[in-house]
Amino acid sequence: MAMKALSRATIYQVAQLAGVSIATVSRALRDSDLVTQATRERVLAAARELRFTPSRPARSLAEGRHAANGIVFPDLVGPYYAEVVLGYEAAAAGFGSSVLILATNGRPDAEQAVRDLAGRVDGLTVMGQTVGDDVVDELQATGLPLVLLARDPVPGVDTVRAQNTRTARELAGHLVAHGHRKFVFLGDPGSAPDIAGRYAGVQAGLTAAGVARAHLVPLPGFDLEVGEAADIGDADAVVCANDEIALGVLLAAERAGRRVPEDLAVTGWDDLLAARFAGLTTVRQPMRELGATAARWLHRRITQPGAGAKRRILPTQLVVRRSCGSHPPEEVAT
Amino acid sequence: MAMKALSRATIYQVAQLAGVSIATVSRALRDSDLVTQATRERVLAAARELRFTPSRPARSLAEGRHAANGIVFPDLVGPYYAEVVLGYEAAAAGFGSSVLILATNGRPDAEQAVRDLAGRVDGLTVMGQTVGDDVVDELQATGLPLVLLARDPVPGVDTVRAQNTRTARELAGHLVAHGHRKFVFLGDPGSAPDIAGRYAGVQAGLTAAGVARAHLVPLPGFDLEVGEAADIGDADAVVCANDEIALGVLLAAERAGRRVPEDLAVTGWDDLLAARFAGLTTVRQPMRELGATAARWLHRRITQPGAGAKRRILPTQLVVRRSCGSHPPEEVAT
DNA sequence: TTGAAAGCGCTACCAA
DNA sequence: TTGGTAGCGCTTTCAA
């Protein structure tokens, strides 16, 4: 038996109270210009009196659209995804679309959850390693407008990413210039395309500089604790997949009595607020802008179906602070 | 004219392909046990072949429920709200409910946006100063299950909050014990009940310690920049409404050549990751738990209507670091 | 300018 | 165990 969660007034009651038909109520409420001013006022008054709010499911069913879109992101840990999602919401709100969020972090039924979500929205942004390309293809086959975010492109689908490889290369070069030679990369390139790009860039930068490749330590996660527990061996430079890992390494180094940057260089990625206060050299990503761009593109796809697939790589920026080696003060960002 | 955003298969097509009625399809899909195994398999095969996903609006309309709930939060700035929302999502996912998010930050049509949202969900969590109590009352009058989060209680509505006043009092006492006497409070108590509670607690603590009341500087916001620009006069202790403001004060102090904590004590609120690395004394809030509790309570309200209104104040914890005055090392948290 | 009525796609009741 | 069918509340023709 259906459990009625809502017991709100319906258009029929408004119509009755206003002494008109439901068609007229509908018109008056959606300010169609096919209603007399007098009629409209009568209807609005009745609606107000009954605290009428149109049923969204009924409306969606009749209109064939949801007036909502969704974003799927991998994990809840850390400020990175949060910022992206918040940038997304702000942009989506701008064109009157509700936002549904779905975190797939270690959810066993992620694929099904995404499919369910797909049934509630006019379009979907899929971020990072949440579901496989097979699911993306499947969604695309249903004609659902899609945008990929921080994820490898799929033919025919819009993709928004941040620059990874190139800036990672720059970072590696910078570290080599500081005199570092024994590199470790902390993070699992297989866990996300972003990380793979950073890893590739670092190796490319080292190779270009004629330095031995970094030793890869594929950590099982991306948070502070994982960084603290990481075994960095006798490296003199630790390039971390993100800031949280790097901050963990910083804490561990301090405990172990290794000075940063004198004994050990450490770098992160994301430029979290904490990086600034930890003096951590890192790479700034336009997180809000990533989310906002995805939302805008999705809206375009929904309203203008058939447009060609777009791809964009948003620039990232090396932020040099203390942790990578000593600099004249004026060169160091805060 | 209705723009069909979705062109997915319907239950009728599945029924036809499987050679059964739509009623049977419905049953087979919702694994009612009133279908033969053979029939079910035939239906499922047909559904798979057509990539059938039930229309959520149709389902919601027929069932009279949305299988979704929403959370309204004030602002996107900073990691605080993000953490709360993420805790909320995780808990809601636990009982199979989709989550809609709505940020009211400076939105002129916030009230209407909340009303619209209310039409899409089985229940709503309203956080902080997003909309007035009149809107809350109005929502409650429609019978929509509601939970208030970090907000002053309204009769008949569940409320989840964090401890503010008491811990603020403790914080004030701690600062006085360090010898500080000229206090400034940075932040606007009128902007949110949380802030009002912290302000009241600080004043109460100072009064109890026989120290002059803090000078109130009601800042226009809660971010780093606002903190950096704040005029703290000749205070020797600055109690900030949140960590971001405090971090801004730290930066400004450094630029002005004032040493912390020797010349100036600074405290925050939230215990962001950055606070740890800035050596900032602050108060830790159970942000994820706030969100998760709200989600759980809302679920309870939805599934068990008529339960009495609950209230809970989650404990917060003073985290002493360097910025409030000198301590023996072992007393200081990291 | 308004009303009547046919869907939108599904659930669940009532018969068979 | 299945099918027929009456809604769920709204939008949008088509007539009046």
Side-chain angles (χ1 to χ4, degrees):
Chain A
M1 192 208 65
M3 182 185 56
K4 298 274 298 183
L6 308 177
S7 58
R8 315 212 254 78
T10 74
I11 201 174
Y12 287 92
Q13 302 173 37
V14 177
Q16 182 162 36
L17 183 58
V20 296
S21 73
I22 61 163
T24 300
V25 174
S26 179
R27 293 190 192 102
L29 258 35
R30 339 188 63 248
D31 28 51
S32 148
D33 46 348
L34 300 100
V35 253
T36 326
Q37 186 58 23
T39 310
R40 180 193 313 285
E41 276 165 17
R42 210 141 36 86
V43 170
L44 292 181
R48 209 172 309 116
E49 184 175 339
L50 295 172
R51 301 173 184 288
F52 172 74
T53 313
S55 153
R56 198 48 248 190
R59 209 160 176 159
S60 293
L61 185 56
E63 289 181 335
R65 57 182 224 102
H66 303 273
N69 66 67
I71 179 167
V72 183
F73 45 92
D75 208 316
L76 300 179
V77 176
Y80 167 74
Y81 295 114
E83 287 285 320
V84 174
V85 171
L86 296 178
Y88 188 89
E89 197 278 346
F95 41 77
S97 185
S98 295
V99 175
L100 287 128
I101 56 174
L102 172 65
T104 57
N105 57 341
R107 216 184 269 201
D109 59 337
E111 297 205 352
Q112 193 49 49
V114 170
R115 287 195 192 91
D116 290 350
L117 181 60
R120 310 181 151 268
V121 295
D122 299 320
L124 206 52
T125 293
V126 178
M127 190 174 180
Q129 298 300 77
T130 44
V131 288
D133 281 356
D134 51 334
V135 177
V136 172
D137 291 337
E138 179 188 323
L139 292 173
Q140 197 190 2
T142 68
L144 186 72
L146 241 40
V147 170
L148 302 182
L149 182 53
R151 178 179 177 117
D152 287 332
V154 164
V157 183
D158 290 354
T159 303
V160 182
R161 284 173 295 176
Q163 182 63 261
N164 282 303
T165 309
R166 194 169 136 184
T167 310
R169 210 174 160 134
E170 182 183 348
L171 172 63
H174 183 88
L175 286 165
V176 170
H178 271 301
H180 305 297
R181 292 296 178 269
K182 298 177 75 172
F183 286 80
V184 160
F185 184 92
L186 250 40
D188 183 359
S191 66
D194 274 342
I195 311 304
R198 292 168 203 170
Y199 179 65
V202 168
Q203 297 293 32
L206 293 180
T207 301
V211 171
R213 288 169 60 86
H215 175 61
L216 173 64
V217 180
L219 301 182
F222 293 94
D223 58 22
L224 205 74
E225 288 69 32
V226 165
E228 280 188 272
D231 177 12
I232 57 170
D234 63 343
D236 64 5
V238 183
V239 178
C240 304
N242 74 349
D243 277 355
E244 290 189 82
I245 291 175
L247 293 168
V249 171
L250 247 32
L251 292 176
E254 186 180 347
R255 255 199 313 274
R258 299 186 69 170
R259 293 169 307 163
V260 173
E262 294 81 357
D263 304 336
L264 183 70
V266 179
T267 69
W269 200 284
D270 285 346
D271 195 26
L272 301 185
L273 188 57
R276 182 166 176 179
F277 291 90
L280 180 67
T281 291
T282 185
V283 175
R284 183 173 301 153
Q285 299 205 76
M287 301 183 281
R288 307 283 266 235
E289 193 52 30
L290 282 167
T293 302
R296 281 195 295 265
W297 283 19
L298 186 57
H299 183 240
R300 196 186 62 109
R301 276 236 161 261
I302 293 169
T303 53
Q304 305 167 29
K310 299 173 73 170
R311 291 186 189 170
R312 176 127 75 213
I313 297 184
L314 298 183
T316 57
Q317 183 193 351
L318 181 61
V319 178
V320 176
R321 298 202 180 94
R322 286 187 22 255
S323 71
C324 60
S326 45
H327 301 77
E330 64 272 18
E331 284 181 15
V332 181
T334 57
Chain B
M1 193 208 65
M3 182 185 54
K4 298 275 296 185
L6 308 178
S7 59
R8 315 213 253 75
T10 74
I11 201 175
Y12 288 92
Q13 303 173 35
V14 176
Q16 182 163 34
L17 184 56
V20 296
S21 74
I22 61 163
T24 299
V25 173
S26 180
R27 291 189 196 103
L29 258 36
R30 337 187 63 249
D31 30 48
S32 150
D33 46 349
L34 301 102
V35 254
T36 325
Q37 185 59 23
T39 310
R40 181 194 312 285
E41 276 164 16
R42 208 142 34 88
V43 170
L44 293 181
R48 208 171 312 117
E49 183 174 339
L50 295 172
R51 301 173 183 288
F52 173 75
T53 312
S55 153
R56 197 51 247 190
R59 207 160 177 161
S60 294
L61 185 57
E63 289 181 336
R65 57 183 225 99
H66 302 273
N69 67 67
I71 180 167
V72 183
F73 46 92
D75 208 316
L76 300 179
V77 177
Y80 167 73
Y81 295 112
E83 287 285 320
V84 174
V85 171
L86 296 179
Y88 188 88
E89 198 277 346
F95 41 77
S97 185
S98 296
V99 175
L100 286 127
I101 57 174
L102 172 65
T104 58
N105 58 339
R107 215 182 267 201
D109 59 336
E111 297 205 352
Q112 193 49 49
V114 170
R115 285 195 193 91
D116 290 350
L117 181 60
R120 312 182 150 266
V121 296
D122 299 321
L124 206 52
T125 293
V126 178
M127 190 174 181
Q129 296 302 77
T130 44
V131 289
D133 281 356
D134 51 334
V135 176
V136 171
D137 290 338
E138 179 188 323
L139 292 173
Q140 197 189 3
T142 68
L144 186 72
L146 240 41
V147 171
L148 302 182
L149 181 53
R151 177 178 178 119
D152 287 333
V154 164
V157 183
D158 290 353
T159 303
V160 182
R161 283 173 295 176
Q163 181 64 260
N164 282 303
T165 309
R166 194 168 137 187
T167 310
R169 210 172 160 136
E170 182 184 347
L171 172 63
H174 183 89
L175 286 164
V176 170
H178 272 300
H180 305 297
R181 290 298 177 268
K182 300 177 73 170
F183 285 80
V184 161
F185 183 92
L186 251 39
D188 183 1
S191 65
D194 274 341
I195 311 303
R198 292 169 203 170
Y199 178 65
V202 168
Q203 297 292 32
L206 294 179
T207 302
V211 171
R213 287 169 60 86
H215 175 61
L216 174 63
V217 180
L219 303 182
F222 293 94
D223 57 23
L224 204 75
E225 288 68 34
V226 166
E228 280 188 272
D231 177 13
I232 59 171
D234 64 342
D236 65 6
V238 183
V239 178
C240 304
N242 73 351
D243 277 355
E244 292 190 80
I245 291 176
L247 292 168
V249 171
L250 248 31
L251 291 176
E254 187 181 345
R255 255 199 312 274
R258 299 186 70 172
R259 292 169 308 164
V260 173
E262 294 81 357
D263 305 336
L264 183 70
V266 179
T267 68
W269 200 285
D270 285 346
D271 195 26
L272 301 185
L273 188 57
R276 182 166 176 179
F277 290 90
L280 180 67
T281 291
T282 185
V283 175
R284 184 174 300 153
Q285 300 206 77
M287 299 184 281
R288 306 283 267 238
E289 192 53 29
L290 282 167
T293 302
R296 281 195 295 266
W297 283 21
L298 186 56
H299 183 239
R300 197 188 61 109
R301 275 236 162 259
I302 293 169
T303 53
Q304 304 168 29
K310 298 173 73 170
R311 291 186 190 169
R312 177 128 75 213
I313 298 184
L314 299 184
T316 58
Q317 184 194 351
L318 182 61
V319 179
V320 176
R321 297 203 180 92
R322 287 187 21 255
S323 70
C324 60
S326 45
H327 301 79
E330 64 272 19
E331 283 182 16
V332 181
T334 56

